[in-house]
Amino acid sequence: MARIISIANQKGGVGKTTTAINLAASFAVLEYKTLLVDADPQANSTTGVGFDLHNITNSLYDCMVNNATAEDVVLKSEMPYLDVIPSHIDLVGAEIEMINYPNRENVLKTVLEPIKEKYDFIVIDCSPSLGLITVNSLVAADSVAVPVQCEFFALEGLGKLLNTVKIVQNRLNPNLQIEGILMTMYDGRLRLCNQVVSEVRRHFDDLVFSTIIHRNTRLSEAPSVGKPVILYDAESKGSVNYLNLAKEILQKNEMTNMSNTERIIE
């Protein structure tokens, strides 16, 4: 049965899609069957793993609005253990079309239910908003991982997101956990980055992942060639960071086959 992890932050530009793509790819490299669900109308996760949007006929929109099944929409990526449910710009209109649905917050959960048995992990890339699609992602998820950029306003939107998580826990998904807060775009040469990490750790303590994602040129370049960083440059800092994040999540959830995980990460 899959563990479903939503990657969410209503702030744009914090490394959310980068995290969704590369965390999913890292699980796949470690031979865990993984599904990446692109729940962002910008569809950057879809293109970031090599799919041309012009060639996609069915997307998450069709599952949520047109009653297509997840099986109909799932695409095989070039990585043996990684599948994708692609997004489409049409998803922008889904929130309006779903507004009169009974149980509209549970649509994505219903879509994913029949295929949960097929995967070890389902990673959902949320849009940079706290709208109905993101709420659907939180209701469908077992946990939420929150990327936070190492910059001055890092804490600004975090409280709002955690408040939304609390509302979802109280009203819609009592089992939702916070997988962790992930510090991204870290540059150890900058005093500000170190101050932000210290501040976030001081406020949120055990909720913060030990793994930090460093600023990395290869990580930034990888989406332009439609590959996760581990396929683009397996030895890059970004690749190692995301493998270590996958390893940390596996250990936290007691799902790791240590010998396999250690071998690949070293």
Side-chain angles (χ1 to χ4, degrees), residues 196-227:
V196 170
V197 171
S198 299
E199 190 76 357
V200 172
R201 287 201 194 283
R202 191 167 64 80
H203 272 80
F204 298 103
D205 196 24
D206 292 347
L207 288 180
V208 185
F209 285 114
S210 299
T211 305
I212 292 177
I213 309 301
H214 292 70
R215 277 197 184 277
N216 180 246
T217 307
R218 309 303 268 169
L219 198 54
S220 307
E221 291 170 352
S224 66
V225 293
K227 290 180 184 294

Side-chain angles (χ1 to χ4, degrees), residues 4-64:
I4 303 179
I5 304 173
S6 283
I7 314 294
N9 192 331
Q10 79 276 14
K11 269 178 74 107
V14 297
K16 189 173 43 56
T17 295
T18 300
T19 295
I21 291 170
N22 292 297
L23 177 60
S26 295
F27 285 140
V29 162
L30 297 170
E31 300 188 354
Y32 291 87
K33 290 180 183 171
T34 306
L35 175 67
L36 175 60
V37 178
D38 192 349
D40 184 347
Q42 295 174 82
N44 291 334
S45 279
T46 305
T47 57
V49 288
F51 293 101
D52 184 342
L53 296 181
H54 296 103
N55 298 332
I56 288 169
T57 49
N58 288 320
S59 69
L60 183 63
Y61 170 83
D62 296 285
C63 294
M64 297 188 79

Side-chain angles (χ1 to χ4, degrees), residues 39-43 59-61 64-65 87-98 127 129 132-133:
D40 184 347
Q42 295 174 82
S59 69
L60 183 63
Y61 170 83
M64 297 188 79
V65 175
S87 186
H88 192 275
I89 191 65
D90 287 350
L91 199 59
V92 168
E95 299 203 358
I96 296 166
E97 295 184 60
M98 290 162 57
S127 62
S129 75
L132 185 55
I133 302 293

Side-chain angles (χ1 to χ4, degrees), residues 56-260:
I56 288 169
T57 49
N58 288 320
S59 69
L60 183 63
Y61 170 83
D62 296 285
C63 294
M64 297 188 79
V65 175
N66 295 332
N67 296 322
T69 66
E71 287 275 13
D72 294 337
V73 174
V74 167
L75 302 173
K76 300 268 179 207
S77 80
E78 63 177 305
M79 297 180 75
Y81 286 84
L82 181 63
D83 293 348
V84 180
I85 290 183
S87 186
H88 192 275
I89 191 65
D90 287 350
L91 199 59
V92 168
E95 299 203 358
I96 296 166
E97 295 184 60
M98 290 162 57
I99 206 77
N100 292 321
Y101 282 22
N103 297 323
R104 60 181 179 268
E105 297 91 357
N106 290 283
V107 175
L108 183 55
K109 183 178 183 179
T110 305
V111 167
L112 296 177
E113 202 67 50
I115 58 168
K116 277 174 72 172
E117 294 288 345
K118 289 180 62 176
Y119 297 98
D120 299 306
F121 286 98
I122 297 176
V123 177
I124 306 175
D125 181 19
C126 300
S127 62
S129 75
L130 294 178
L132 185 55
I133 302 293
T134 299
V135 170
N136 261 265
S137 301
L138 295 176
V139 171
D142 297 302
S143 64
V144 55
V146 186
V148 174
Q149 189 177 351
C150 294
E151 50 130 61
F152 185 69
F153 294 113
L155 290 171
E156 200 178 55
L158 198 50
K160 195 172 179 185
L161 176 67
L162 295 177
N163 196 42
T164 301
V165 168
K166 199 169 281 183
I167 291 167
V168 170
Q169 286 170 329
N170 290 338
R171 300 183 189 173
L172 298 163
N173 181 3
N175 298 319
L176 181 66
Q177 301 171 338
I178 294 173
E179 192 72 48
I181 295 167
L182 176 69
M183 305 307 300
T184 64
M185 305 182 198
Y186 174 79
D187 185 340
R189 298 167 300 178
L190 301 178
R191 186 188 298 169
L192 176 64
C193 281
N194 292 302
Q195 286 174 340
V196 170
V197 171
S198 299
E199 190 76 357
V200 172
R201 287 201 194 283
R202 191 167 64 80
H203 272 80
F204 298 103
D205 196 24
D206 292 347
L207 288 180
V208 185
F209 285 114
S210 299
T211 305
I212 292 177
I213 309 301
H214 292 70
R215 277 197 184 277
N216 180 246
T217 307
R218 309 303 268 169
L219 198 54
S220 307
E221 291 170 352
S224 66
V225 293
K227 290 180 184 294
V229 71
I230 200 153
L231 294 187
Y232 182 60
D233 184 350
E235 294 180 2
S236 68
K237 189 97 172 173
S239 181
V240 172
N241 286 166
Y242 277 108
L243 276 169
N244 283 331
L245 177 64
K247 175 187 173 187
E248 188 175 344
I249 291 172
L250 288 163
Q251 288 175 337
K252 182 180 176 183
N253 292 291
E254 298 178 348
M255 295 173 71
T256 182
N257 170 352
M258 277 303 296
S259 58
N260 185 37

